[in-house]
Amino acid sequence: MKARKIIVKILDNIFNNRAYSNIELNKYLNSEEIDSKDRALITEVVYGTIKYKSTIDTILSNYVKDIALIDVAVINILRSAIYQMRFLDRVPDYAVVNDSVNLSKEVSQNSSRFVNGVLRNYIRNEKKNYKEGFAKLESICFDYSFDKWMVKLFILQYGEELALEILKGLNYRPNITVRVNSNKSDYDEVFEKLEEEGYDVEEGSISPDAIKINKGSTIEKNPLFISGDITVQDESAMMVAPLFNFDSNDIVMDLCSAPGGKTTHIAELLQNEGEVLAFDVHEHKLKLIEEHKERLHLENIKTDIMDATKLNAKYINYATKVLIDVPCSGIGIIRKKPEIKWTKNARELRDLVQIQRNIMENAWEYLRVGGELIYSTCTLNKKENEENIDWFLDKHNDAVIEKVFIGNSKNIINNENGSVTILPNEYMDGFFIAKLKKR
């Protein structure tokens, strides 16, 4: 009962107050006395309910006159219950119904009767075909639980077959991946230590620095993490920094650096030499980078507040390398932040393109002749990716693209313009990388 109460609180904050799922989960799981079994249930049900919200709401609409009229204090009790009964088998249906009814009694007796009626009606119609009469697009939206506009976007840009693979990939439950700090530790030794400590681990799919953690206790509390031997980072993001051809005297600017995964990776690959300038518009995010810097024992990072969309004359022709992991729609990381399904819209995606282009223009001003620029995003929207690169190359005669190659995995697309798109799967987020050189 306590676990389900926490589940509903978290869902209320996410759906009603636009809170971030990862932050809300950490807040509750770190502050409550919760055993590992309940911790796993809370995490699974929260992420699953957010992920399948559209499908669940379609199901609920078969048992209520208007889902929009359901009390906000009750709707997430119903959503989380339907998720557990439809997508999980670890908890019996009667137990889910009983806990949901008791939870709704805290709202009102009428609410508890309503919840009981809806859920028991759902159980009685266990084999109901909720897609009856649906067109193909509606059916896809129901199966994968995505809004129509996003499904249409993927089909238009990638074709139906690949679009379905993307939708499937974005619904995978992600495991934790850690990057071994090559500046401090030996990969094999770290791997063995994690095994000795009871973690179920395996090598990364592509990155030589990646270790996948399939099962184990909270990695942030592990001595290897605390001492800076490892840091948490998705394997797709690990592919960015090694694409630079580093020199010990490099001056590297990371214009959109928070939370610092790529910044610290660059600093590690430079072996604490050169200079890494990490910028962000928010001071509290820079403090996070400083914390990572100290934990990873890195001395070549300097942080400062700067808006990447505004040109800073101080840094014109300053850097030998520039990284711009630009603000984007984030639809490549729905595995980890499923609320992106419901918080983004097509208009937002259009507005982001101009911001990204402003950052590209400024980054190019900061780069010296002969220098390298890497443009990356965690989105799969081609307008934010390949089309931005093509636009930039058409506008700048001194820019030449350097073909990026990171492997031959099934989820990697080598684009015609030399850039790379990483499709989401059970191990990696969706990602885009392009590399330019200033001639």
Side-chain angles (χ1 to χ4, degrees), residues 213-272:
I213 299 180
N214 300 317
K215 287 183 182 178
S217 57
T218 306
I219 197 66
E220 285 86 353
K221 295 180 180 179
N222 185 280
L224 289 166
F225 180 88
I226 293 168
S227 64
D229 294 272
I230 56 174
T231 196
V232 176
Q233 188 178 31
D234 188 83
E235 196 170 353
S236 293
M238 290 184 208
M239 305 313 300
V240 175
L243 293 174
F244 282 119
N245 294 306
F246 286 116
D247 183 273
S248 60
N249 296 317
D250 269 327
I251 300 172
V252 186
M253 294 177 69
D254 185 350
L255 300 190
C256 313
S257 60
K262 299 176 196 68
T263 304
T264 54
H265 199 185
I266 289 168
E268 288 169 15
L269 293 172
L270 279 167
Q271 298 182 314
N272 256 332

Side-chain angles (χ1 to χ4, degrees), residues 107-122:
V107 180
S108 69
Q109 283 298 324
N110 284 340
S111 294
S112 66
R113 286 192 288 271
F114 172 71
V115 167
N116 186 59
V118 170
L119 296 182
R120 293 197 181 279
N121 205 2
Y122 169 76

Side-chain angles (χ1 to χ4, degrees), residues 253 277 279 304 306 311-319 362 365-367:
M253 294 177 69
L277 304 177
F279 300 99
D304 200 4
M306 188 169 78
L311 184 66
N312 187 337
K314 174 183 175 182
Y315 293 109
I316 291 176
N317 296 322
Y318 186 83
N362 293 338
E365 290 287 338
Y366 302 146
L367 188 65

